[in-house]
Amino acid sequence: MALSSMRGLSVFISDVRNCPNKEQERLRVDKELGNIRTRFKNEKGLTPYEKKKYVWKMLYIYMLGYDVDFGHMEAVSLISAPKYPEKQVGYIVTSCLLNENHDFLRLAINTVRNDIIGRNETFQCLALTMVGNIGGREFAESLAADVQKLLISSSYRPLVRKKAALCLLRLYRKNPDVVNIDGWADRMAQLLDERDLGVLTSSMSLLVALVSNNHEAYWSCLPKCVRVLERLARNQDIPQEYTYYGIPSPWLQVKTMRALQYFPTIEDPNTRRSLFEVLQRILMGTDVVKNVNKNNAAHAVLFEALALVMHLDAEKEMMSQCVALLGKFISVREPNIRYLGLENMTRMLMVAEVQDIIKRHQAQIITSLKDPDISIRRRALDLLYGMCDVSNAKDIVEELLQYLSTADFAMREELSLKAAILAEKFAPDLSWYVDVILQLIDKAGDFVSDDIWFRVVQFVTNNEDLQPYAAAKAREYLDKPAIHETMVKVSSYLLGEFSHLLARRPGSSPKEIFNIIHEKLPTVSTSTIPILLSTYAKILMHTQPPDPELQNQIWAIFNKYESCIDAEIQQRAVEYFALSRKGAALMDILAEMPKFPERQSALIKKAEDAEIDTAEQSAIKLRAQQQTSNALVVTDQCYANGPSPIVPAVGPLTLVKVPSMSGSEEHTAVDQALTQSNGTLTKVDSQPPSDLLGDLLGPLAIEGPPGAAVQSEHSAVTEVEGAPSAVDVAAIVPVGEQTNSVQPIGNINERFNALCLKDSGVLYEDPYIQIGIKAEWQAQHGRLVLFLGNKNTSPLDSVQALILPPAHLKMELSLVPEIIPPRAQVQCPLEVLNLHPSRDVAVLDFSYKFGTNMVNVKLRLPAVLNKFLQPMPVSAEEFFPQWRSLSGPPLKLQEVVRGVRPLPLEEMANLFNSFRLMICPGLDPNPNNLVASATFYSESTRAMLCLIRIETDPADRTQLRMTVASGDPALTFELKEFIKEQLVSIPTAPRGPTTAPPAPPVVQPTSPAMALTDPGAMLAGLL
Amino acid sequence: MIKAVMVINTQGKPRLAKFYDFLTVDKQQELIRSVFGVLCSRAENVSNFMEADSIFGPDSRLVYKHYATLYFVFVFDTCENELAVLDLIQVFVETLDKCFRNVCELDIVFNYSKLHTILDEIVFGGQVLETSSAEIMKAVEEISKLEASSNSITLVPKTVSGWRNR
C-alpha cells in the first residue's frame, strides 16, 4: 500500500494541523472534500498516483470524524482495475468506508472472486484482506469455498495462506454453514501439522472459533494441539523471528491453550500426560524478571496455562500449586500481574477444592482494595464478593463498609450493592444483617436502592426476636444530625411498627419518637411523606392510654395534608384521620403487618439475572454454568447463630398475627368465603393445565398452603373496609406479589430435554431448592451425580429421593440425607446400568419439607436411550456389507414419517450428531439423504452397531423415510421410535404403551384434597 | 476477537482508528472520546488494563500502552489473553520503530497510510495475523517494492529499505 510519501497528502495534513480551532479545521476539510469531489467527477484525468493521494486524504478526513459520503462507487470500481496501485486503493478505501450491507459491495463480488482464484498472490492478499475486514454474508456464501482452497493448498506462500485462514474465520462467523463440519475436521487436523508458524497461528485462531461452536467434530485436533504446545514449550524447530524476548511465539502458545479449553476433557491418558507435563513446566518455569516485555509475554503464557489447568480439573495438588502462584502474583510490584492474579483467582473460585486455600489470601486481597489503580480495586472487589461465604462474611462485609467511606464515586454503587447482597446471603445472625444495611444506608444512601431497605423490613417483620433490636437501632440513627432520606424511610417504618417494644427505654416514649421523626418531615420528598403518615397513625394506635396532646398534634398534621396535591398523601391523611376517630377499630386495622412469605430476594435474583445476561461462549463461562451450585455456597457446617428468618413450622393461622375478627360478623363470613375460593383458585392457577394429569397421579396432599391463607386473610381485611389504602401498608409492602405455592423456576420439560443432549445442568429449581445433575457415560454404565442445593437460610427437612427405574435400567442411588443444611449442597451419586434397549425413562420422586410446605416433584432423569450410544464413523467398505446383511424386519425396519418438524438438512445432521448418532457424509450419493451410525451398549446386546438412513424429500420437508438397522430386533425398534420422537414436531411425542412414566413431572405443592375431588374446579383448571 | 485498534495522542486527537465491526463515524468518534476520557485520568505506573464494559458493552476488555505522546489502545473480547494483546502492542510499536527509526508522533501523523499498511499485516479482520516483527517487515517491504515498480511516476524514491539506511 501507499508507502512512498505523497506530498499533497503531507501538505493537507500540515494544513489541518495548523488550524487554530475546530471551525477552521472544518473549513479546510470541506474545501478539500469539495476539491476531491470535483476531481473524481472527471475521473479520466486522474493518474493512479492522484487517485491514491485523494483516497488517503479521504481516509484521513474520515478518521478526524467527518463523514465521507461520496466516492464510494469510484472506490469500488477501482477494485476491478488491472494495475496494482489502483486496485490497492480500491480495496483499501472499500474496506474502510463501506459496511457489509452496502449495495455497491455486491457489484464487486465477482471481481473479488476472480482475484482470489487468480494466480497473482499480491491480488489474492488484497482481496482476502478486504473480505476479512468487512465480512458479510454474501461474501461468505460466494467465496468461502475458494478461500478454503487457498488455505489447504500447500502451493501458495504462507503469506497468502495465513490470510486465507483468518478470512475463512471471518466468513464462518458471518455464516457458520460455510464450513462443512464433517469434511473440514480432517483438513483442520492436517493444518495443525503446519511447520510455518505464521500459518499455524492463523489456523489456530480458526480452530478456536470452530471448536467453540462444536468441539465434538474436532476431537482429532486435540492431540495435535498438544503436540504444537510441546513443540513450542521445548523450543523445537522455532525460527528466531518467532521468538519474542526469548520465548517461543507466546501468542501461539496462548491460542493453542485457548483452543484446548473448548474441549470438555481429555480422555486419552497419553495425551493428557504430555499436556500436563508441558503445563507443569510452564507453571514452574516462569519467574518475574526485570524486562517488562519478557515478563508480560511469559505471564501471558502462564495465565493461559492456569486457565487450562483449571479447565481440565487437574489434581488437587496442581490446583493448589496454581493458587499458590496466584497468591504470589497478587502481591508483586508489577500492576499487570497483580490485576491478572486477582482476576484469575476469581475464576479459580469455581474450583471448590481450592476455595479454602484462596481464603488464606484474604488479607492481601483486602489490601488490593486500596490499590492506586481502579482497575485493580475493581478486581479485588469482585474477588472478595466471590470468595465470601458464611465463614468470612463478617470480615469481608465489614471491610467493604469501611472502604465505602473512602471509595471513589465510580465504585460506590457496585460496592454497596455487593455488600448488601453478601450481608443477606451469608448473615451469621440477623441483627448483624440489620446493622450492615443501616450502616450502608448511612454511608452511601444515594447508592442504596429501594430493594435493599425493603428487604430489611421484610426480615425484621418476619423475626420477632429482631424487632426490638431493629427499632432501637433505627432510633439511634434518628439522633444523627443529618441523615439520608432512605434512612428516614426505613427508620420511621420500623419505629411505626415496633417502637412500642422500646417504650421503657429512655428517649423512646411515643411522644419522643413522634417528635424526632416529625423533625425530619420538612426535609423529605413527597415519596417519603406517606410513610411518615403511616408511622404517625401507628404511633397513635400504640399510645395507650391515649395522650390527648399527641393526638391533637397528629390530627393537626392529618388535617393539614387532607388537601395535599399529592393523591397518595391526601388519601392517607383523610383515611388515617377518619380511622383514628374510630377508637377500638383502629387497633384492628392498624395492627402489625403480617409476616411476609419467604421468597427469593429481589436483590440476589437481580444479581443472578445479570450473571446470566452476560454469559457467553467462553470455556470458562460454560464451565461456570455447568456448575449447578453457582448461586449456592457449598458448606458443611450448619449455621444457626441467629433466629431463622423463616417462619416456624406451625399451623398457618398462628404464623400471622391476624387482626381480631370480633369487629363484625360479616367480616368473618367474607373472610372464610374468600379463604375457600382462594384456596381452590390458587390450586388451579398455579398449575399449568398440562400438569393436571400428573397432579392426579401424584400423592394426595393434606395441608393447605400457608401462603394462600395469609393472602386471603389479608385481602379479606382490605375488602371489608372497602378502602385498600386504609391499612395500606400494602403500599409499602416490600417487593412484588405474594406467591401462592411453590412454583418451579424455569420449564421442567425444557430442562429435561436439554439434559438429554448434554451431561450437566440444572434438572429442577424452585425458590427453595436447586437440583443439578452431572453425568458420565461409559458403554452401558452411567454415573450420575445429583447436586441438591438448599437455597435458603433455614434447613430443608424430610428430604426424600426415590428412584423409579424402568425395567431396563438398574439404578442405585446413594443415601440421601434427610436434612439439607441452610445454603448447603449435597451430592448424591447414582449408578446406572443399561440392561437392554428401551425408550422408557427413569423417574426421580423427590420430596422435601420447607416450613409447613410439603413439596413433591416427579422428575424424569436424563438416562435416555441416546446416552448409551457412542458415535461411530464407518467407511463405505464397512457400511454397505453390514447394511446388506441386515435384510428386512425385524432387524431392519423402515417407516415413512410424516409431520416432521421441517429442518434444513444440516440442522437435521446436527440434531443426529447431538444424539451421538454420527452422520457419515459421502456414503449416500443422494445429497438429500443422511446416513448415520453409532454403537449401542447394553448388557443384553453388548456393543451393537446401529445404522440409520434418512431419505428426505426436498420438496416437502415435513415427511421423510427412515430405515434403521441393527443386529437386535428390540434395539432396531426402540431406536427407530426414538428417532421418530425427536423428529416429529410435537415435543412430547406419543409414547408407546410400554412407556412407564406418565406425563411430565409436576410440582405438588400440597394442594387441598378438596380441589382434586371437585370436578368443577378441575374443569375450571382445564379451561 | 479484537474489536478496535486506536492510536490517540495525549491531547485526545486520534492518529489511527480502526474498527473491525462497522460503526458510523459519529459512534467511532464518541468511542474515541470516551476512551481518551478514561485514559487521561489514569496515573503512571498503574496496570495497562482498563474497564471497558461501559464503553464497548459487557465483556469488553481494553489494554493500552503509553509511549511518549501517544496511547496505543486495543479493545477486544474475552476470547483474547490480555497480556498477549499487550505483547502485540509491543510488536506493533517495535515494527514502527524499525520502519521509522525512533518513531515519534510526527512520523505517524505524516505517514499514517503506512501505519495502516503495517497494522493490516498484524491484525486481520479482528484476528492476529502475524506476531513476528521480522515477518511483518518482509510483507511491508514487498508491498512497497510492488508499488515502486508499478508506479510510473514515483515521486519520492524512498522505499522501506531506504528509510532504514537513512
Side-chain angles (χ1 to χ4, degrees):
Chain A
M1 300 170 204
L3 280 180
S4 34
S5 353
M6 287 161 275
R7 226 165 63 87
L9 180 62
S10 300
V11 170
F12 171 64
I13 293 174
S14 292
D15 282 0
V16 170
R17 277 169 55 84
N18 290 334
C19 290
N21 54 39
K22 196 79 190 159
E23 209 35 56
Q24 298 277 317
E25 182 186 294
R26 177 174 291 281
L27 284 175
R28 179 69 186 84
V29 166
D30 282 344
K31 184 179 153 206
E32 193 63 39
L33 284 176
N35 179 27
I36 300 172
R37 205 188 297 252
T38 20
R39 295 304 300 265
F40 269 151
K41 273 199 184 126
N42 25 30
E43 202 192 302
K44 281 193 187 100
L46 288 179
T47 62
Y49 166 75
E50 281 172 316
K51 271 187 197 155
K52 192 162 75 183
K53 184 178 75 181
Y54 289 132
V55 160
W56 279 116
K57 279 184 184 172
M58 276 163 63
L59 275 187
Y60 191 80
I61 292 168
Y62 185 70
M63 185 188 67
L64 290 177
Y66 299 92
D67 212 352
V68 178
D69 53 1
F70 65 93
H72 296 175
M73 189 65 204
E74 286 83 354
V76 173
S77 62
L78 278 178
I79 290 179
S80 39
K83 279 198 178 160
Y84 184 82
E86 287 165 288
K87 196 181 261 303
Q88 179 203 32
V89 166
Y91 273 122
I92 294 170
V93 81
T94 308
S95 66
C96 283
L97 296 183
L98 302 191
N99 74 0
E100 60 167 287
N101 299 319
H102 208 288
D103 286 340
F104 291 162
L105 275 183
R106 272 188 214 123
L107 305 175
I109 285 189
N110 254 333
T111 324
V112 174
R113 180 156 189 268
N114 286 335
D115 282 340
I116 286 180
I117 56 179
R119 287 261 134 203
N120 185 327
E121 290 191 339
T122 42
F123 287 5
Q124 281 171 338
C125 284
L126 285 177
L128 288 171
T129 307
M130 194 274 275
V131 175
N133 280 332
I134 294 187
R137 273 193 87 87
E138 281 188 45
F139 277 129
E141 277 146 27
S142 43
L143 299 176
D146 302 315
V147 176
Q148 285 183 11
K149 266 181 220 147
L150 288 190
L151 172 57
I152 52 179
S153 145
S154 51
S155 60
Y156 291 101
R157 283 197 302 160
L159 188 67
V160 179
R161 294 179 58 213
K162 66 187 183 190
K163 286 184 175 154
L166 293 182
C167 188
L168 185 60
L169 191 166
R170 182 77 177 210
L171 298 181
Y172 173 76
R173 286 252 165 84
K174 285 290 164 197
N175 180 2
D177 295 340
V178 301
V179 174
N180 179 352
I181 292 168
D182 302 306
W184 191 250
D186 294 340
R187 299 243 164 86
M188 199 65 235
Q190 283 165 17
L191 279 172
L192 298 180
D193 292 331
E194 176 67 43
R195 302 317 290 170
D196 183 276
L197 289 193
V199 179
L200 194 54
T201 306
S202 298
S203 304
M204 201 55 86
S205 298
L206 176 61
L207 178 68
V208 169
L210 295 173
V211 286
S212 70
N213 276 357
N214 179 354
H215 61 82
E216 305 237 328
Y218 296 94
W219 276 116
S220 53
C221 297
L222 198 156
K224 306 252 175 154
C225 289
V226 175
R227 224 164 296 148
V228 169
L229 208 54
E230 279 184 297
R231 175 181 163 197
L232 290 165
R234 302 224 166 95
N235 205 346
Q236 292 164 339
D237 181 23
I238 308 296
Q240 184 52 42
E241 64 264 30
Y242 281 98
T243 314
Y244 178 84
Y245 291 92
I247 299 161
S249 186
W251 191 273
L252 181 55
Q253 294 198 45
V254 165
K255 268 283 161 208
T256 312
M257 288 192 267
R258 196 47 77 98
L260 286 169
Q261 286 170 59
Y262 285 99
F263 293 100
T265 171
I266 297 178
E267 269 151 16
D268 177 45
N270 288 329
T271 314
R272 196 176 163 92
R273 196 175 336 105
S274 347
L275 179 59
F276 273 103
E277 271 171 33
V278 175
L279 290 175
Q280 188 72 35
R281 183 192 284 246
I282 295 172
L283 292 186
M284 296 317 297
T286 311
D287 275 325
V288 178
V289 291
K290 260 210 170 136
N291 184 317
V292 183
N293 294 319
K294 180 171 176 144
N295 215 14
N296 279 342
H299 284 83
V301 175
L302 177 59
F303 277 113
E304 206 61 50
L306 281 172
L308 183 55
V309 169
M310 241 188 287
H311 170 79
L312 291 172
D313 263 334
E315 310 291 311
K316 192 182 174 197
E317 214 173 290
M318 198 162 185
M319 290 284 196
S320 319
Q321 196 186 341
C322 292
V323 180
L325 270 177
L326 290 173
K328 199 175 86 188
F329 292 156
I330 61 173
S331 50
V332 298
R333 231 170 51 90
E334 179 63 42
N336 288 338
I337 310 289
R338 272 206 312 274
Y339 175 95
L340 291 170
L342 290 167
E343 186 179 30
N344 281 279
M345 226 183 225
T346 310
R347 287 196 213 170
M348 204 82 181
L349 286 172
M350 291 174 201
V351 183
E353 306 97 72
V354 295
Q355 280 170 355
D356 283 336
I357 317 179
I358 293 178
K359 278 189 211 153
R360 288 184 213 145
H361 299 284
Q362 191 169 318
Q364 182 59 43
I365 301 166
I366 286 171
T367 318
S368 304
L369 214 48
K370 290 150 194 140
D371 198 282
D373 184 353
I374 188 171
S375 304
I376 293 179
R377 293 198 293 272
R378 285 214 163 101
R379 289 289 81 85
L381 177 58
D382 283 350
L383 177 53
L384 284 174
Y385 178 71
M387 68 193 273
C388 193
D389 64 19
V390 276
S391 71
N392 56 11
K394 229 170 161 161
D395 294 343
I396 290 182
V397 172
E398 271 154 27
E399 254 336 302
L400 294 184
L401 280 177
Q402 215 189 335
Y403 175 49
L404 193 59
S405 343
T406 53
D408 25 352
F409 281 93
M411 273 183 78
R412 285 196 185 185
E413 181 162 10
E414 197 184 351
L415 196 59
S416 47
L417 185 68
K418 289 197 159 148
I421 292 176
L422 292 179
E424 180 183 337
K425 262 173 127 173
F426 305 115
D429 63 77
L430 287 168
S431 52
W432 176 79
Y433 170 72
V434 171
D435 280 349
V436 168
I437 301 297
L438 291 182
Q439 279 188 56
L440 205 60
I441 297 173
D442 186 40
K443 287 183 170 165
D446 283 339
F447 302 104
V448 175
S449 64
D450 281 350
D451 290 343
I452 297 178
W453 81 264
F454 286 173
R455 194 70 178 157
V456 184
V457 166
Q458 210 176 328
F459 269 106
V460 175
T461 310
N462 286 9
N463 288 276
E464 277 160 38
D465 298 356
L466 194 58
Q467 291 162 359
Y469 180 79
K473 273 282 163 188
R475 174 70 188 80
E476 269 173 39
Y477 274 105
L478 283 178
D479 278 337
K480 290 186 115 185
I483 57 174
H484 193 269
E485 191 167 336
T486 308
M487 186 63 91
V488 176
K489 286 183 189 170
V490 67
S491 52
S492 60
Y493 184 96
L494 290 175
L495 288 171
E497 288 289 328
F498 309 115
S499 64
H500 59 282
L501 302 172
L502 300 178
R504 298 229 178 86
R505 299 195 193 181
S508 303
S509 71
K511 204 167 157 114
E512 282 162 311
I513 301 250
F514 166 75
N515 281 332
I516 196 153
I517 294 177
H518 192 53
E519 264 173 35
K520 315 289 179 205
L521 189 115
T523 63
V524 298
S525 64
T526 45
S527 65
T528 308
I529 295 176
I531 300 175
L532 295 189
L533 293 183
S534 302
T535 304
Y536 298 163
K538 293 232 170 186
I539 291 177
L540 205 54
M541 186 242 338
H542 282 304
T543 316
Q544 293 303 345
D547 173 348
E549 198 192 332
L550 180 64
Q551 207 168 37
N552 284 333
Q553 235 178 326
I554 293 177
W555 282 349
I557 298 165
F558 290 157
N559 242 326
K560 178 182 160 204
Y561 282 103
E562 274 179 353
S563 51
C564 178
I565 194 156
D566 183 273
E568 180 67 33
I569 298 175
Q570 191 189 46
Q571 191 173 8
R572 285 198 195 204
V574 171
E575 284 165 3
Y576 291 149
F577 187 66
L579 283 168
S580 61
R581 285 164 185 271
K582 283 199 171 185
L586 180 70
M587 295 285 279
D588 296 341
I589 298 151
L590 290 182
E592 209 170 286
M593 278 293 288
K595 290 192 161 116
F596 296 93
E598 175 81 9
R599 60 165 79 88
Q600 193 183 18
S601 155
L603 275 185
I604 294 180
K605 196 167 172 334
K606 225 193 261 172
E608 281 168 9
D609 288 350
E611 276 162 32
I612 293 164
D613 283 347
T614 55
E616 53 104 50
Q617 280 240 337
S618 87
I620 213 80
K621 287 211 169 155
L622 280 177
R623 189 185 147 89
Q625 282 163 18
Q626 285 164 3
Q627 291 227 343
T628 49
S629 61
N630 217 2
L632 302 167
V633 182
V634 181
T635 163
D636 39 14
Q637 75 207 70
C638 190
Y639 109 90
N641 298 357
S644 157
I646 288 130
V647 272
V650 270
L653 281 177
T654 50
L655 279 181
V656 191
K657 270 187 200 156
V658 184
S660 118
M661 311 239 170
S662 58
S664 68
E665 280 173 50
E666 181 201 25
H667 184 133
T668 329
V670 175
D671 188 1
Q672 278 172 355
L674 261 166
T675 314
Q676 273 195 2
S677 63
N678 202 335
T680 333
L681 277 170
T682 308
K683 154 80 200 39
V684 171
D685 284 351
S686 63
Q687 309 267 331
S690 66
D691 282 352
L692 251 139
L693 182 61
D695 206 353
L696 278 172
L697 294 160
L700 294 185
I702 327 126
E703 290 166 294
V710 171
Q711 191 184 38
S712 57
E713 229 98 45
H714 186 73
S715 47
V717 174
T718 1
E719 204 74 348
V720 169
E721 290 304 323
S725 54
V727 223
D728 208 25
V729 224
I732 38 173
V733 165
V735 233
E737 285 295 313
Q738 295 181 332
T739 43
N740 292 324
S741 58
V742 182
Q743 288 277 9
I745 297 170
N747 183 324
I748 299 176
N749 276 326
E750 278 171 19
R751 288 187 190 275
F752 170 76
N753 289 337
L755 281 170
C756 288
L757 296 181
K758 55 179 192 176
D759 283 336
S760 61
V762 177
L763 181 67
Y764 170 77
E765 186 171 2
D766 69 26
Y768 308 125
I769 197 165
Q770 188 188 49
I771 305 180
I773 212 163
K774 202 171 173 185
E776 280 167 27
W777 306 95
Q778 184 100 50
Q780 63 265 45
H781 297 278
R783 190 186 153 83
L784 284 84
V785 183
L786 297 175
F787 296 81
L788 311 174
N790 180 355
K791 295 164 70 171
N792 287 281
T793 45
S794 63
L796 296 179
D797 42 14
S798 311
V799 176
Q800 275 192 341
L802 205 65
I803 301 283
L804 313 171
H808 74 286
L809 293 179
K810 208 167 117 188
M811 302 178 107
E812 249 173 79
L813 180 65
S814 69
L815 197 69
V816 177
E818 198 172 325
I819 294 174
I820 306 179
R823 303 219 180 270
Q825 194 193 52
V826 182
Q827 304 188 359
C828 310
L830 169 64
E831 302 288 342
V832 182
L833 176 65
N834 187 20
L835 301 174
H836 56 84
S838 161
R839 282 168 301 129
D840 296 353
V841 184
V843 171
L844 170 70
D845 182 353
F846 185 80
S847 57
Y848 66 90
K849 210 159 121 193
F850 179 80
T852 50
N853 255 2
M854 186 75 197
V855 180
N856 176 274
V857 283
K858 293 202 170 30
L859 303 163
R860 284 180 287 167
L861 287 173
V864 285
L865 184 83
N866 64 305
K867 300 284 183 188
F868 302 102
L869 291 170
Q870 194 65 47
M872 175 81 187
V874 289
S875 62
E877 298 82 56
E878 295 165 303
F879 181 84
F880 289 108
Q882 285 276 358
W883 186 254
R884 258 176 259 124
S885 71
L886 300 164
S887 57
L891 293 182
K892 192 195 250 176
L893 295 171
Q894 193 167 70
E895 183 175 337
V896 174
V897 187
R898 292 180 214 286
V900 170
R901 182 160 33 132
L903 286 176
L905 208 58
E906 301 92 89
E907 270 181 47
M908 193 180 281
N910 286 341
L911 185 71
F912 273 91
N913 279 326
S914 65
F915 282 109
R916 308 195 194 194
L917 292 163
M918 191 171 194
I919 294 291
C920 309
L923 285 187
D924 200 313
N926 184 337
N928 289 312
N929 295 353
L930 290 176
V931 169
S933 65
T935 313
F936 179 81
Y937 293 92
S938 74
E939 284 288 294
S940 69
T941 59
R942 293 287 155 189
M944 177 81 69
L945 185 69
C946 310
L947 303 170
I948 297 129
R949 182 174 185 225
I950 305 285
E951 293 156 279
T952 66
D953 176 2
D956 181 4
R957 289 235 154 263
T958 64
Q959 60 171 7
L960 50 81
R961 190 165 72 169
M962 171 165 78
T963 319
V964 178
S966 81
D968 180 85
L971 175 57
T972 306
F973 175 77
E974 292 290 334
L975 186 61
K976 187 195 73 166
E977 292 298 309
F978 176 80
I979 298 171
K980 198 165 81 182
E981 280 170 17
Q982 306 308 327
L983 292 175
V984 171
S985 47
I986 312 147
T988 47
R991 298 176 149 272
T994 49
T995 317
V1002 154
V1003 181
Q1004 189 66 58
T1006 63
S1007 41
M1010 180 197 79
L1012 292 171
T1013 50
D1014 179 359
M1018 280 200 46
L1019 202 63
L1022 282 170
L1023 297 172
Chain B
M1 170 177 172
I2 296 171
K3 295 182 184 174
V5 175
M6 303 173 198
V7 179
I8 311 175
N9 77 359
T10 40
Q11 312 287 309
K13 281 228 182 292
R15 292 303 180 209
L16 172 82
K18 185 120 185 157
F19 293 86
Y20 291 97
D21 283 319
F22 187 84
L23 294 171
T24 60
V25 194
D26 292 341
K27 185 74 192 160
Q28 292 184 4
Q29 293 298 315
E30 188 194 315
L31 293 177
I32 294 171
R33 269 197 304 275
S34 332
V35 167
F36 178 72
V38 188
L39 280 181
C40 63
S41 68
R42 285 179 68 84
E44 289 295 321
N45 299 325
V46 292
S47 67
N48 296 95
F49 312 131
M50 202 179 95
E51 299 279 318
D53 293 16
S54 54
I55 305 175
F56 291 91
D59 283 323
S60 311
R61 287 143 188 244
L62 186 151
V63 167
Y64 72 98
K65 225 168 173 180
H66 187 178
Y67 294 91
T69 57
L70 293 173
Y71 289 110
F72 285 74
V73 183
F74 277 53
V75 183
F76 49 96
D77 62 15
T78 48
C79 292
E80 310 289 341
N81 177 311
E82 287 106 327
L83 282 176
V85 174
L86 200 58
D87 291 343
L88 200 67
I89 297 183
Q90 184 65 24
V91 169
F92 186 29
V93 175
E94 281 178 15
T95 313
L96 291 176
D97 218 36
K98 281 183 195 161
C99 277
F100 296 110
R101 278 245 206 95
N102 287 328
V103 62
C104 70
E105 191 183 343
L106 277 184
D107 290 324
I108 285 172
V109 174
F110 286 101
N111 295 288
Y112 110 108
S113 55
K114 184 158 180 186
L115 208 62
H116 266 273
T117 314
I118 295 170
L119 183 62
D120 274 347
E121 292 301 322
I122 299 177
V123 181
F124 178 106
Q127 296 291 331
V128 175
L129 179 66
E130 187 51 75
T131 56
S132 147
S133 101
E135 289 290 317
I136 300 164
M137 285 300 292
K138 244 191 257 171
V140 172
E141 278 178 37
E142 198 175 302
I143 290 169
S144 63
K145 258 182 224 151
L146 208 79
E147 279 185 331
S149 63
S150 56
N151 226 349
S152 45
I153 350 161
T154 314
L155 289 180
V156 188
K158 262 202 258 176
T159 61
V160 173
S161 36
W163 261 312
R164 294 174 88 194
N165 303 330
R166 192 167 51 176

